[in-house]
Amino acid sequence: METVLAVDLGGTTLKCAVFDATGAPLWAARHPTGRERGADAVVSTVLEVLTSMRERAVASGWPPRAIGLAVPGLVDAAAGVAVWSVNVGWRDVPLRDLVEARVGLPTVLSNDVRAGGLAEAAASGSDDVLFVPIGTGIASAHVVAGAVVTGASGAAGELGHVVVRPGGRKCGCGRRGCLEAEASASAIEARYREAGDSVQSGGSVQSGGSVQSGDSVQSGGSVPAAISAAGASAAEVARLAAAGDPVAAGVWGEAVEALADGLVSAAALLDPRVIVVGGGLARAGETLFGPLRAAVSARGSFLPAPEIVPATLGDEAGCHGAALLARPLLAGVSGLPAPS
Amino acid sequence: METVLAVDLGGTTLKCAVFDATGAPLWAARHPTGRERGADAVVSTVLEVLTSMRERAVASGWPPRAIGLAVPGLVDAAAGVAVWSVNVGWRDVPLRDLVEARVGLPTVLSNDVRAGGLAEAAASGSDDVLFVPIGTGIASAHVVAGAVVTGASGAAGELGHVVVRPGGRKCGCGRRGCLEAEASASAIEARYREAGDSVQSGGSVQSGGSVQSGDSVQSGGSVPAAISAAGASAAEVARLAAAGDPVAAGVWGEAVEALADGLVSAAALLDPRVIVVGGGLARAGETLFGPLRAAVSARGSFLPAPEIVPATLGDEAGCHGAALLARPLLAGVSGLPAPS
């Protein structure tokens, strides 16, 4: 049974899996990336993991024939080069050639969001999907007829940098009020920390210049001291909001409103059939999707309203997508040199 | 010499032209659409103009072989149906079949913005162009490798309904703060009227809830009485702004800032190589493009900044694009019935 080796490289964790030719996973594992030792260490981790996966697959009677590799940041898929990633800290790494030389299997390199989008689109059964993973940042991949729209310079899909709150919170990109600065998990954590500081010190709520400043977060709810001191995760803010904590509900509500503006704008430009929301924030389930659908619906318009559904592959979407991208290589493997 | 007949239908004016097989115009004219007599009258106008153009072309020794027809609103290009247009007031008109039956030439039906985008993209020489006509409304067409991106339901490109000023001015679509409600020619005219009313009545400036309310339009400049009474056109506001009128400059500046936010957001999502700005507002020339490029540049980011250039075909882009779309039909004309 011929197989594909798939790797999805994140900032701190590398996910890997062996898929059969039908796309079913046979085996999966996770490893630390070694990022704290620098970009070269991450490259070494990728090469070592793939070499060992290859041996394991052969020993299990699953001869691997191709590799799919999804990595964060800007990727030149045609050249097989990992161009740039803040998370990993690399620049212009010819990763495809390095992997092919070391592991001896034809390899496809892709951006992780795009790979995840392909997998979520395939899982959704729709031919036109905007995949929006929301975690530390916000990104998107528009999948039309099984392919990701890449843009003229390979940079399409930066939904996180659509301006939803002009003059709003400072974004890592240098602008203000980007969707990512207003509604990502890290934005929610920062908003909640600020709201907590403000409530505890008796001052008014700082909302970073947002146009929706303070209309729902000044209601004087108390932030649980332990969480406030340590900094609550976005998941904890979601839980507190669902439980009726007014500060958390205010912060959560502001993020949902910003997200609704971003999705409505993306839908106006792109006209996707379905918007699939994934990433860590989507794990909040109905605490996210209920208010988000309501906020989009409240922006009623003659424009077609996008259908918004949760991602189904969780944090395995990147690995599934990497495997999907590698599967077409299964036929053309014979010409490659044997591994040294 | 075989030719193509092209028609670009607007709300009040129909433009038509005869093009040779290389795309050069041989003859052109304009007619009133007859919209005030209803949608049926507009359909009649289109059919009569094309019939008479056909006779004129034949008589001139320019045998027409195909028709390209660009119309406003939602179009089902595959079915040849003009689905919906507020401007014309029609719904589900099988325009392609009506034209083919009456004029006896194979016909291509397209949306006018998309036809214009194809022509401007061809004129620009770039393979990836976002065409943004700004007039009474704001629309866009993303042309990639010679084809317009249409979206899942044919509704892609609604740049005018990207939300740039949350809670801002009321838009015809039902939402608030859409780019079209903040920066179209009609929005500029409305802003200027409001600013003039306000200055003349001594009150503070009403800016419709915009987040940038009044920071530059409260400087007490006087509005020329004749213009204020009649209502200035956007072109007049541009001229006054360029001449240093503080009220006009304030209104113009707000529109340019909103436009910069819209273009920056579109560029983040779509990554076009070039943004071609057209429509009536582009006739303001450097009064628009100077401040617009500066405003986009001031939003500096690690994202690639879009190159912004003026359209070159003016209000003839739709006609040129209709001809472009019809040109592939030149080869397949023989099977059609002769005109009755």
Side-chain angles (χ1 to χ4, degrees):
Chain A
M1 176 174 42
E2 297 195 336
T3 62
V4 163
L5 309 182
V7 163
D8 177 20
L9 181 69
T12 54
T13 304
L14 176 157
K15 293 151 208 151
C16 59
V18 180
F19 289 86
D20 70 17
T22 71
L26 301 170
W27 175 90
R30 293 174 184 229
H31 301 271
T33 59
R35 177 179 58 167
E36 66 287 353
R37 288 175 287 117
D40 287 352
V42 176
V43 174
S44 294
T45 302
V46 169
L47 297 175
E48 283 157 23
V49 164
L50 279 165
T51 306
S52 124
M53 272 175 89
R54 186 182 174 285
E55 285 164 14
R56 172 185 292 267
V58 168
S60 303
W62 304 328
R65 296 289 184 238
I67 292 171
L69 182 50
V71 302
L74 193 60
V75 170
D76 183 340
V81 173
V83 176
W84 186 55
S85 164
V86 180
N87 259 350
V88 179
W90 62 28
R91 194 174 259 287
D92 292 327
V93 177
L95 205 53
R96 183 186 62 199
D97 290 354
L98 289 172
V99 167
E100 290 190 344
R102 172 77 164 269
V103 192
L105 290 169
T107 299
V108 176
L109 183 69
S110 171
N111 166 271
D112 53 357
V113 174
R114 293 179 177 174
L118 283 171
E120 289 289 356
S124 80
S126 171
D127 61 342
D128 194 314
V129 169
L130 184 66
F131 173 55
V132 182
I134 308 177
T136 310
I138 297 181
S140 72
H142 191 192
V143 181
V144 180
V148 177
V149 178
T150 57
S153 60
E158 290 285 1
L159 175 58
H161 301 288
V162 163
V163 178
V164 294
R165 295 290 176 266
R169 302 177 69 92
K170 187 85 182 163
C171 182
C173 82
R175 294 187 187 136
R176 285 192 170 276
C178 292
L179 181 58
E180 179 167 306
E182 300 288 340
S184 63
S186 39
I188 289 169
E189 287 155 15
R191 277 178 189 277
Y192 187 72
R193 207 162 45 235
E194 292 161 15
D197 290 350
S198 172
V199 168
Q200 292 193 330
S201 68
S204 69
V205 170
Q206 303 290 322
S207 70
S210 158
V211 291
Q212 303 201 329
S213 57
D215 55 355
S216 59
V217 291
Q218 293 179 323
S219 48
S222 68
V223 178
I227 286 176
S228 175
S233 70
E236 284 163 339
V237 176
R239 208 156 38 235
L240 288 166
D245 176 90
V247 175
V251 166
W252 189 257
E254 287 187 4
V256 166
E257 290 294 324
L259 192 54
D261 280 327
L263 295 187
V264 156
S265 292
L269 268 175
L270 303 173
D271 183 25
R273 201 172 306 283
V274 183
I275 297 179
V276 174
V277 177
L281 211 68
R283 284 202 288 267
E286 270 311 294
T287 304
L288 175 66
F289 287 93
L292 180 58
R293 290 190 185 110
V296 166
S297 170
R299 286 159 175 73
S301 163
F302 68 78
L303 298 172
E307 184 191 353
I308 299 173
V309 302
T312 56
L313 298 170
D315 68 357
E316 291 173 11
C319 237
H320 277 266
L324 266 180
L325 284 163
R327 223 180 303 163
L329 297 182
L330 285 181
V333 71
S334 58
L336 257 221
S340 58
Chain B
M1 176 175 43
E2 299 196 335
T3 61
V4 163
L5 310 183
V7 163
D8 177 21
L9 181 70
T12 54
T13 304
L14 178 157
K15 293 151 207 150
C16 59
V18 180
F19 289 86
D20 71 15
T22 71
L26 300 170
W27 174 90
R30 293 175 186 230
H31 301 272
T33 58
R35 178 179 57 165
E36 65 287 354
R37 290 177 285 117
D40 288 351
V42 176
V43 173
S44 294
T45 303
V46 169
L47 296 176
E48 282 157 22
V49 164
L50 278 165
T51 305
S52 124
M53 271 177 89
R54 187 183 171 283
E55 286 163 15
R56 174 186 291 267
V58 168
S60 303
W62 305 328
R65 296 289 185 239
I67 292 171
L69 181 50
V71 302
L74 194 59
V75 171
D76 182 339
V81 172
V83 177
W84 185 56
S85 163
V86 180
N87 258 352
V88 180
W90 61 26
R91 194 172 260 288
D92 293 326
V93 177
L95 205 53
R96 183 187 61 200
D97 290 353
L98 290 172
V99 168
E100 290 191 345
R102 172 79 164 269
V103 194
L105 290 169
T107 299
V108 176
L109 183 70
S110 171
N111 165 270
D112 54 357
V113 174
R114 291 179 179 175
L118 283 170
E120 288 289 355
S124 79
S126 171
D127 61 341
D128 194 315
V129 169
L130 184 67
F131 173 55
V132 182
I134 307 178
T136 310
I138 297 181
S140 72
H142 191 192
V143 182
V144 180
V148 178
V149 178
T150 57
S153 60
E158 290 286 1
L159 175 58
H161 301 288
V162 163
V163 178
V164 295
R165 294 290 176 265
R169 301 176 71 91
K170 186 84 183 165
C171 182
C173 83
R175 294 187 186 137
R176 285 191 171 277
C178 292
L179 181 59
E180 179 167 305
E182 300 287 339
S184 63
S186 40
I188 289 170
E189 287 154 16
R191 278 177 188 277
Y192 187 72
R193 206 161 46 234
E194 292 162 13
D197 291 349
S198 172
V199 168
Q200 292 192 330
S201 68
S204 69
V205 171
Q206 303 291 322
S207 69
S210 159
V211 292
Q212 302 201 328
S213 57
D215 54 356
S216 57
V217 289
Q218 294 179 321
S219 46
S222 67
V223 177
I227 286 178
S228 174
S233 70
E236 285 162 338
V237 177
R239 207 155 41 235
L240 288 166
D245 176 89
V247 175
V251 167
W252 189 257
E254 287 188 4
V256 166
E257 289 294 324
L259 193 55
D261 280 327
L263 295 187
V264 155
S265 292
L269 267 176
L270 304 174
D271 183 25
R273 201 173 306 283
V274 183
I275 296 180
V276 174
V277 177
L281 211 70
R283 285 203 287 268
E286 271 310 294
T287 303
L288 176 65
F289 287 94
L292 181 57
R293 290 190 185 111
V296 166
S297 170
R299 286 160 175 73
S301 162
F302 68 78
L303 298 172
E307 185 190 353
I308 299 173
V309 303
T312 56
L313 298 171
D315 67 358
E316 293 172 10
C319 237
H320 277 267
L324 265 181
L325 282 164
R327 222 179 304 163
L329 297 182
L330 285 182
V333 73
S334 58
L336 256 221
S340 57

